[in-house]
Amino acid sequence: MNTKVWKVDKYVDKLENNPQVVDAANFLRDNEVVALPTETVYGLGGNAESDVAVGKIFAAKGRPSDNPLIIHIAEKKQLNGFVAEVPVKAEVLMEAFWPGPLTIIFKKKEGVLAETATAGLATVAVRMPDHPVALALLKRCGLPIAAPSANSSGKPSPTNAEHVMDDLNGKIAGVIDGGATGIGVESTVIDCTEAIPVILRPGGVTKEQLEAVVGEVRVDAALTDEAAQPKAPGMKYRHYAPNAPLYMVSGTTKFLQRLVEEKRMEGLRVGVLTTSENAGVYEADVVLACGKRAALTTVAAALYDTLRRFNLEKVDVIYSEVFPNEGVGNAIMNRLQKAAGNKLITE
């Protein structure tokens, strides 16, 4: 398959009428799959009402079929087509955070969406992306679009079009190149089907921000339960992993350096994931600064690109510093834990 690339400037006016966007929307209406930029990561979009289109998403990614997909919309009125009810707290959250990096889980209407899109669950995960190209494409095609991250399943999510092509060139119909994404980690997923909303995946909107708007919010224990059936993407299977084994290290810089030296004595090529504050501290084969520890949003934005850069450097093992489990640090640590398969070395 020849994967088409559409280059679109997100700052251009009237993007819905942009010939590139119009062409990509036609592909979606023909039940092809198209990668598109969002404010979090690039998504792999397909018609959520079509088993054919959704099947192409799973096939291109090599994604397990029991992992539900997020449905992307451009306007709240689209919810009426496939959501059974919209709770009051969901309304409050939509008003505060849509468009934006928040996915809300609703009870779904039966018989509308492809069963494969929701993995046969009675619920559906929905978000409205805060990216002008994504919104223009969604409005132009007029469809609810299922869109997981546009990468091979289990690998680091793509934050630019080049990442998408590295993984999926020849496997999908096209990619809209809208430049680098901003937030860098996926949306927060919150279940609003219960009286107290429950975070199922940490992401671009923090627990503190949610509680400031809607009151008490719980964090689901299934985040760490690999045996639980996922109600949201990212709750099951290893994700975001670079090619080399990744270990999180909780301890001093000297302790991490000793681990590096031990592996280098074995003849292995060792990588260290750190931040700009500590980039000059370590002596290893590859030391990559992933943002600034003093500004964790920069770590989130650079995380997946940094993990992919280790692949290019062909390291044999990677040691990563850990980060505070607060604010966006929750999302960073969730992704690192998934990428490392929960392998943690403590001093």
Side-chain angles (χ1 to χ4, degrees), residues 87 105-107 122-124 190-197 231:
I105 292 185
F106 302 90
K107 293 178 181 177
T123 53
V124 58
I190 189 164
D191 186 353
C192 283
T193 64
E194 302 180 18
I196 298 174
K231 293 180 73 176

Side-chain angles (χ1 to χ4, degrees), residues 104-268:
I104 301 174
I105 292 185
F106 302 90
K107 293 178 181 177
K108 72 176 183 182
K109 286 182 180 177
E110 295 295 335
V112 180
L113 300 175
E115 279 296 298
T116 47
T118 58
L121 298 174
T123 53
V124 58
V126 190
R127 91 175 187 99
M128 185 186 296
D130 188 14
H131 192 288
V133 176
L135 288 173
L137 180 67
L138 291 166
K139 289 176 182 176
R140 187 75 199 190
C141 72
L143 296 167
I145 296 297
S149 55
N151 58 303
S152 295
S153 190
K155 296 302 180 183
S157 299
T159 53
N160 60 51
E162 289 77 15
H163 294 164
V164 178
M165 292 296 281
D166 286 344
D167 282 12
L168 301 179
N169 188 17
K171 297 180 181 180
I172 62 176
V175 180
I176 300 179
D177 183 353
T181 61
I183 294 171
V185 293
E186 293 84 353
S187 61
T188 301
V189 178
I190 189 164
D191 186 353
C192 283
T193 64
E194 302 180 18
I196 298 174
V198 181
I199 294 173
L200 301 183
R201 182 179 73 185
V205 178
T206 67
K207 181 174 185 284
E208 294 82 1
Q209 289 173 313
L210 293 167
E211 290 188 324
V213 170
V214 81
E216 183 183 0
V217 170
R218 294 193 292 111
V219 176
D220 197 283
L223 275 171
T224 57
D225 184 0
E226 294 290 334
Q229 183 181 23
K231 293 180 73 176
M235 288 182 65
K236 196 172 185 181
Y237 306 107
R238 191 173 179 226
H239 287 269
Y240 323 118
N243 294 339
L246 171 68
Y247 296 85
M248 299 173 291
V249 180
S250 178
T252 62
T253 57
K254 289 183 178 179
F255 175 67
L256 195 154
Q257 181 62 44
R258 287 202 302 272
L259 296 175
V260 170
E261 291 167 0
E262 289 171 5
K263 290 300 181 184
R264 295 182 85 188
M265 288 289 289
E266 296 174 16
L268 298 181

Side-chain angles (χ1 to χ4, degrees), residues 17-52:
N17 298 322
N18 181 293
Q20 307 277 63
V21 171
V22 172
D23 195 28
N26 288 336
F27 272 67
L28 289 172
R29 281 197 288 265
D30 288 339
N31 291 333
E32 296 293 347
V33 294
V34 170
L36 62 145
T38 77
E39 80 281 23
T40 56
V41 300
Y42 271 69
L44 182 58
N47 180 3
E49 297 176 352
S50 166
D51 285 308
V52 171

Side-chain angles (χ1 to χ4, degrees), residues 35-110:
L36 62 145
T38 77
E39 80 281 23
T40 56
V41 300
Y42 271 69
L44 182 58
N47 180 3
E49 297 176 352
S50 166
D51 285 308
V52 171
V54 173
K56 290 179 180 179
I57 293 173
F58 281 102
K61 284 179 61 69
R63 183 185 177 99
S65 61
D66 65 344
N67 209 358
L69 307 180
I70 291 174
I71 311 304
H72 292 63
I73 60 174
E75 299 175 292
K76 284 198 292 184
K77 65 183 181 182
Q78 289 178 268
L79 291 173
N80 299 330
F82 57 89
V83 165
E85 60 179 292
V86 178
V88 172
K89 289 184 178 180
E91 286 278 10
V92 172
L93 290 171
M94 286 187 289
E95 184 65 28
F97 298 109
W98 278 15
L102 182 68
T103 294
I104 301 174
I105 292 185
F106 302 90
K107 293 178 181 177
K108 72 176 183 182
K109 286 182 180 177
E110 295 295 335

